Amino acid sequence: MIRSVLLSTMVLQMKQSFARPMFRFSLIANPILNTILLYEMFRHSQQDNFVSYVVLGAGLMAIWSCICFSSAGDIQRERYSGTLALIYAAPAGFPAIITGKILGNTLLSLSSLLISLATAVAVYHTPVVVIRPGYFFLAPVALVGSFMVISTVLAALLTLSRRTSLYMNCIEIPFILLCGFAFPIQVLPAWLHPISLALSPTWAVDLLRMAVNGVEDASLFFQKLLILMLLSVGYALFSGWLYRYMDRQVRMTANLEVC
Amino acid sequence: MEAIIQVENLRRDYITHRGFLHRNKEVVSAVRDISFYVQPGEVFGLLGQNGAGKTTTIKMLTTLLAPTGGTCKVLGFNTFGEEKYIRPRINFIFGGEMGVYRRLSARDNLRYFANLYGLKPREREQRIQDILELVELRDAADRLAETYSKGMVQRLQIARGLINNPDILFMDEPTVGLDPLGAHMLRDIIRTLHREGKTVLLTTHYLPEAEELCNRMVILNQGRIVAQGTPADIKGEAATLEEAYISLVQEVKP
Ligand SMILES: Nc1ncnc2c1ncn2[C@@H]1O[C@H](COP(=O)(O)OP(=O)(O)O)[C@@H](O)[C@H]1O
Ligand SMILES: [Mg+2]
């Protein structure tokens, strides 16, 4: 049952998201514009691997925006269309439904990476050099995993509140900066580093970048992968707890509907 | 016979915050100390003015809202805490045009909810075909719901509420905004469910409808029960149910 719930929610989510112009903008136009923006910014820098910061940076920013806008916006949309109560009270269980939605959004948003890559190649004739395809396969899997667990945490928090869109706008940019999507976190003030390191996408981005630039130290790569996995398990446990808390809380505060 | 719905001294307060700088807590008692029970197979009515507490009561019965106090049991289980035993066996329909995915067809809407209720693909398609026929949406089944008229959306809602063949169907003002034909169809569906031995709990404003359909009913006013019994009990000496209702509701007005 759980498989058909995940699968059908994922398909539903993709259909619905893609039907919205704003989502298509985030998914398609955003990575193209970000690639151009970042390229112009990096043009005169000392960085020599454009793929690493321009393509990945633009792609990651687009993925993040999609996830951010959809995990928040989807719950709000369900709330306004009167379906939130229906899916909430279905025997399938709300966490399974949310996971299916996030799975759909994340998979769909991965195409941003490809679009950003295609833009870089088409506009700037960037040579795409991926030195170690093995690692380059592992890293995106880790990335998707880390984005998914963080979205479940977000979705739970956003179900609790009706001021969803405010929070959604508040978290989008800080995450981009804190997780090092567009530039290394080393340029951030030192007191922010612990926060960056506690956010799982930081590690996933790091791995992705290592994979693109060539993994010189395999043990370092796997060390970081292990940290990412441990962090993700921590997030998953936290979101499990959060769902139980939310489940009671929304029914006490009557937050499932717009009243 | 064991009651299928059991409500004792049920209360629900809403706490709202007013003001921006000085947040004042304001408590609204939507449901105050109500008690009633419903037997299996009954069509039971919840009547009352706007704001009487009907929707709040239905939300507590359908596991969507936690009671502030009292007992709220459906199928013998507490609706807050034991909801997993209740949810597969009930369903609910809220009136109006809400509660469908407008960017999906009727069939896809029903397929999705069928999956959420754990129907197997084989029984799912058959069930969907049957209820589409029941609500007369078979010909429009594959068009997007956003192209539907108001009445069609409501019929789709009804179909969705029947997807898991529930033992109890809760309906909150199901005929609001429905055209006469739609309302007639809904009454037929309720009678069919009754014949099949299902339990139906519905709220309505439309008294002749309540009188026609309900075996028993309660009348709520400002969160309290002001009368309960069969339509004949409530009517008493009055000429019509409406007359009885009006005097009941006016009596307790402050
Ligand atoms: N989420 C809510 N927050 C605050 N007050 C509410 C909420 N929902 C309902 N109420 C109040 O509770 C009372 C009963 O409402 P409701 O149960 O919707 O009545 P009915 O369905 O009979 O019209 C009303 O005074 C209404 O304003
Ligand atoms: Mg109501």
Side-chain angles (χ1 to χ4, degrees):
Chain A
M1 174 173 172
I2 189 92
R3 220 184 57 215
S4 81
V5 170
L6 286 178
L7 213 65
S8 59
T9 307
M10 189 178 94
V11 172
L12 172 84
Q13 186 59 32
M14 287 168 137
K15 272 192 197 168
Q16 284 190 309
S17 291
F18 207 74
R20 285 187 297 114
M22 186 61 204
F23 189 87
R24 286 200 299 270
F25 176 82
S26 296
L27 191 70
I28 297 163
N30 218 0
I32 296 176
L33 297 175
N34 283 343
T35 304
I36 294 171
L37 177 77
L38 287 182
Y39 185 91
E40 296 303 333
M41 285 166 63
F42 272 87
R43 194 197 274 276
H44 305 294
S45 74
Q46 305 302 313
Q47 286 286 339
D48 51 359
N49 194 335
F50 283 116
V51 175
S52 160
Y53 280 93
V54 175
V55 174
L56 287 183
L60 289 168
M61 278 161 68
I63 294 177
W64 178 245
S65 299
C66 280
I67 288 178
C68 233
F69 277 100
S70 35
S71 32
D74 289 335
I75 289 171
Q76 199 71 327
R77 264 185 294 281
E78 298 271 358
R79 188 175 269 135
Y80 278 105
S81 68
T83 44
L84 186 60
L86 304 181
I87 57 175
Y88 175 84
F94 198 50
I97 295 173
I98 293 292
T99 308
K101 284 180 174 300
I102 289 167
L103 204 59
N105 285 332
T106 311
L107 288 181
L108 207 52
S109 67
L110 278 181
S111 54
S112 294
L113 262 183
L114 298 177
I115 294 171
S116 150
L117 185 65
T119 310
V121 173
V123 180
Y124 300 111
H125 311 290
T126 312
V128 178
V129 197
V130 175
I131 299 164
R132 302 289 294 268
Y135 293 112
F136 198 66
F137 175 75
L138 209 55
V141 174
L143 180 87
V144 170
S146 77
F147 273 9
M148 279 190 61
V149 285
I150 212 160
S151 327
T152 47
V153 173
L154 286 177
L157 290 174
L158 297 169
T159 310
L160 273 170
S161 169
R162 278 181 253 167
R163 261 177 287 176
T164 343
S165 47
L166 174 70
Y167 298 139
M168 166 176 93
N169 287 314
C170 287
I171 53 171
E172 192 197 357
I173 303 293
F175 257 79
I176 290 178
L177 304 181
L178 283 170
C179 297
F181 288 3
F183 51 77
I185 59 167
Q186 282 74 28
V187 304
L188 295 171
W191 60 272
L192 282 175
H193 289 182
I195 303 178
S196 290
L197 296 180
L199 296 171
S200 62
T202 308
W203 298 89
V205 170
D206 203 4
L207 290 175
L208 203 56
R209 214 154 260 154
M210 276 178 92
V212 172
N213 292 341
V215 179
E216 277 143 32
D217 184 352
S219 78
L220 186 65
F221 183 90
F222 286 107
Q223 208 177 335
K224 288 183 174 177
L225 189 63
L226 184 68
I227 294 175
L228 176 64
M229 281 158 70
L230 289 177
L231 265 180
S232 297
V233 169
Y235 278 41
L237 290 176
F238 176 63
S239 89
W241 173 84
L242 200 58
Y243 273 96
R244 277 193 297 278
Y245 170 76
M246 177 208 75
D247 185 36
R248 295 182 68 81
Q249 202 61 27
V250 285
R251 285 187 286 165
M252 303 213 270
T253 54
N255 265 355
L256 282 174
E257 329 254 324
V258 266
C259 297
Chain B
M1 224 180 327
E2 227 4 55
I4 201 167
I5 296 174
Q6 220 180 318
V7 170
E8 267 160 47
N9 305 107
L10 183 63
R11 285 191 299 113
R12 171 69 208 202
D13 297 337
Y14 290 109
I15 296 170
T16 50
H17 298 274
R18 295 202 189 284
F20 186 70
L21 287 176
H22 304 282
R23 310 240 313 154
N24 294 323
K25 248 167 78 167
E26 200 172 280
V27 180
V28 177
S29 294
V31 169
R32 321 170 187 217
D33 244 346
I34 65 170
S35 305
F36 65 87
Y37 66 93
V38 179
Q39 300 281 18
E42 274 189 309
V43 177
F44 192 88
L46 219 51
L47 274 61
Q49 299 291 95
N50 284 329
K54 304 181 295 295
T55 301
T56 303
T57 306
I58 284 212
K59 280 185 185 164
M60 287 191 278
L61 289 168
T62 51
T63 78
L64 294 171
L65 196 63
T68 309
T71 313
C72 187
K73 282 190 174 177
V74 169
L75 296 156
F77 299 104
N78 283 310
T79 58
F80 188 64
E82 297 177 318
E83 57 279 343
K84 71 171 178 204
Y85 305 109
I86 302 173
R87 286 173 177 170
R89 296 171 58 192
I90 65 167
N91 213 326
F92 50 91
I93 297 164
F94 293 135
E97 284 179 89
M98 306 274 280
V100 302
Y101 291 105
R102 299 176 61 79
R103 287 193 165 118
L104 297 185
S105 68
R107 197 187 303 279
D108 283 344
N109 264 287
L110 295 176
R111 272 195 189 128
Y112 182 60
F113 283 103
N115 285 334
L116 298 189
Y117 279 85
L119 269 70
K120 306 262 176 306
R122 274 278 283 290
E123 59 172 331
R124 185 186 72 188
E125 295 306 310
Q126 189 56 50
R127 178 93 191 134
I128 290 173
Q129 200 56 31
D130 292 346
I131 50 182
L132 281 171
E133 232 148 279
L134 186 68
V135 300
E136 292 177 22
L137 276 180
R138 211 191 57 189
D139 295 336
D142 297 301
R143 260 167 50 202
L144 294 189
E146 62 188 359
T147 67
Y148 288 1
S149 70
K150 243 183 189 179
M152 289 164 85
V153 172
Q154 278 176 308
R155 266 141 56 196
L156 175 53
Q157 274 263 48
I158 296 165
R160 182 200 47 73
L162 297 172
I163 193 76
N164 60 328
N165 193 16
D167 292 336
I168 313 177
L169 185 60
F170 295 88
M171 299 196 252
D172 194 10
E173 300 188 21
T175 43
V176 159
L178 218 52
D179 53 32
L181 223 72
H184 182 80
M185 179 188 291
L186 186 76
R187 286 197 289 273
D188 275 348
I189 290 173
I190 292 171
R191 274 188 289 262
T192 307
L193 290 172
H194 183 55
R195 266 200 307 279
E196 288 173 358
K198 306 285 186 190
T199 308
V200 177
L201 187 145
L202 63 99
T203 75
T204 177
H205 275 138
Y206 188 49
L207 294 162
E209 178 177 271
E211 187 170 11
E212 182 193 334
L213 292 171
C214 298
N215 304 116
R216 287 190 310 123
M217 54 178 74
V218 302
I219 297 179
L220 283 177
N221 195 48
Q222 295 173 9
R224 291 198 172 86
I225 292 180
V226 291
Q228 63 176 314
T230 63
D233 291 342
I234 290 174
K235 202 152 69 176
E237 305 290 288
T240 60
L241 183 63
E242 189 158 341
E243 215 167 85
Y245 172 85
I246 288 170
S247 67
L248 277 166
V249 169
Q250 269 171 347
E251 245 166 55
V252 284
K253 271 268 158 64

